[in-house]
Each structure stands twice: as C-alpha cells, then as structure tokens.
Amino acid sequence: MHLFHYHLVTSKVRLLEGRYLGKLGFELIGRYGWRGESSQWFEAGTSWEELDSMGFRLRLVELGRGAVNVVLQPGHWDVPRLDHLGIALDEDEYEAAINRAGELGLKIQDHPGKRTFMTTEAGYRLEVHPPRDWIEEALAQADDLQLTEIHLRANDPEEKAVALAEILQVDRSSAEVTVGDSVVRFLPNGPEGRPELVAEVLG
C-alpha cells in the first residue's frame, strides 16, 4: 500500500504550481485543458503567457517528483482543498477496499484498466489503483522522494480519519491515519466538506 498522489482544488493554481516547481523542486508533467472545443495538453516549455494568447482554458496541472504525483485543479478556494488521495494497492488490498466501500454503501466509479474512485461520506474521495506498470515504475523512484506526511485541516478531523481508515483497514490514532509508509494527519478548525491542505512532508 502506497500513498503516491493527491489532487487539490484552488483558485490560485498558478501560484501553487510555482511553489511546487520552485520551492519543492517538482517537474511539470503537463497542463491539460481546451482550445475551443478541442482538448489539448502541453508539456513544460510552453509558458502561461503563450497559453493565454492561444485561448487555452485550464482543466488540470500535473506535477511530479520521485514517487509523488500532484494534480492542481481550478476551483473556488484560495487555500487549496483536497479532492482526493491516490493510493496504490496490491490485488488483494484493492479487492478488499472495493468490497468494503460497497458494504458501506459508498459511491464507486470504476474506470476499468485505469483506476477506481470511492466517494467517502467525509467530503473527499479516494482513488485506488491495483498493480499497474506505470505505478510500479513511479514507486521504484521512492528512494528519491516520497510523501511522508500530509496535513489537512477539517471541521471534523476524526470523522475524516475514520472514513480513510475504515475503507483501507489501516491503523488510526484519533485523527491520524497510517497509509503504508505515509501518515495522513487531519487537524481541527478547518472547513466543512473538503479538507484544506496545511502542509506536506516529503522525504
């Protein structure tokens, strides 16, 4: 089990992208969106000024470093909020997580051969992956960098933690959940619904 991905929603995508590229040393994988009615994506090397001049409308920014993958999506909130966590599982863990989500009556969106989304009742989603070659290649870089901790602020931190631990059947201590070698820590005094990103620990 490996927590390798998180997807954030914010009104300040360009500012947050700059933080990951500059301060945290991530690489730009691509900017995805539309020109007119056509979906297009651009790798690093095409500036925001060029994209603006061609009428590009952003859908997502994808960034990566080591075994960590981050996606930024335009949205309403200045402070980034978590849409979902991405977790790589072995076959048995994957099947067990799907079954538990079904038993809990959660909404499951399956994309065969790609990934499965589960909508928790705590304001965020999980994206779970069975073994995939591209994930194995990314995780092989874990010695370079991985997500050690992610801190999220919520109005109901323990409820958020219970939802995560219950689906994955992992250890939880109050509002702190251990996912493989990573820790997801939910902090108090946050918003309802999607939790706010406070900090990541990369190592």
Side-chain angles (χ1 to χ4, degrees), residues 1-73:
M1 182 178 298
H2 194 97
L3 173 57
F4 74 99
H5 165 74
Y6 51 104
H7 181 123
L8 304 172
V9 182
T10 179
S11 61
K12 296 184 176 180
V13 167
R14 298 188 191 190
L15 185 65
L16 192 57
E17 178 196 273
R19 173 180 177 265
Y20 281 101
L21 295 176
K23 184 176 181 181
L24 299 180
F26 277 64
E27 294 182 358
L28 176 64
I29 296 172
R31 299 184 182 118
Y32 306 84
W34 301 272
R35 288 178 66 190
E37 299 302 315
S38 301
S39 60
Q40 295 193 359
W41 74 284
F42 295 87
E43 297 176 302
T46 304
S47 69
W48 279 112
E49 289 73 18
E50 292 174 278
L51 294 176
D52 289 340
S53 69
M54 64 178 71
F56 178 73
R57 292 176 291 124
L58 180 69
R59 183 173 68 89
L60 299 172
V61 173
E62 184 178 7
L63 306 131
R65 183 182 167 198
V68 184
N69 178 272
V70 178
V71 165
L72 311 178
Q73 175 184 336

Side-chain angles (χ1 to χ4, degrees), residues 101-196:
E103 291 168 1
L104 293 167
L106 304 179
K107 181 180 179 181
I108 300 172
Q109 295 173 294
D110 188 24
H111 301 265
K114 294 184 179 180
R115 56 195 173 179
T116 300
F117 284 101
M118 304 169 181
T119 302
T120 72
E121 296 180 340
Y124 63 94
R125 299 185 296 162
L126 298 182
E127 177 187 337
V128 294
H129 296 257
R132 299 279 181 238
D133 289 343
W134 66 270
I135 295 178
E136 294 301 319
E137 291 173 7
L139 297 185
Q141 304 178 56
D143 289 341
D144 298 328
L145 187 97
Q146 58 184 326
L147 181 63
T148 303
E149 296 185 20
I150 184 167
H151 302 174
L152 303 160
R153 185 180 291 118
N155 72 319
D156 49 0
E158 191 157 349
E159 180 183 338
K160 297 282 193 286
V162 167
L164 178 59
E166 192 170 38
I167 294 171
L168 298 179
Q169 288 287 280
V170 293
D171 292 337
R172 176 181 68 88
S173 176
S174 186
E176 183 177 300
V177 183
T178 301
V179 181
D181 294 328
S182 305
V183 172
V184 181
R185 182 173 291 122
F186 294 98
L187 304 174
N189 304 317
E192 295 184 6
R194 291 172 173 165
E196 291 179 343

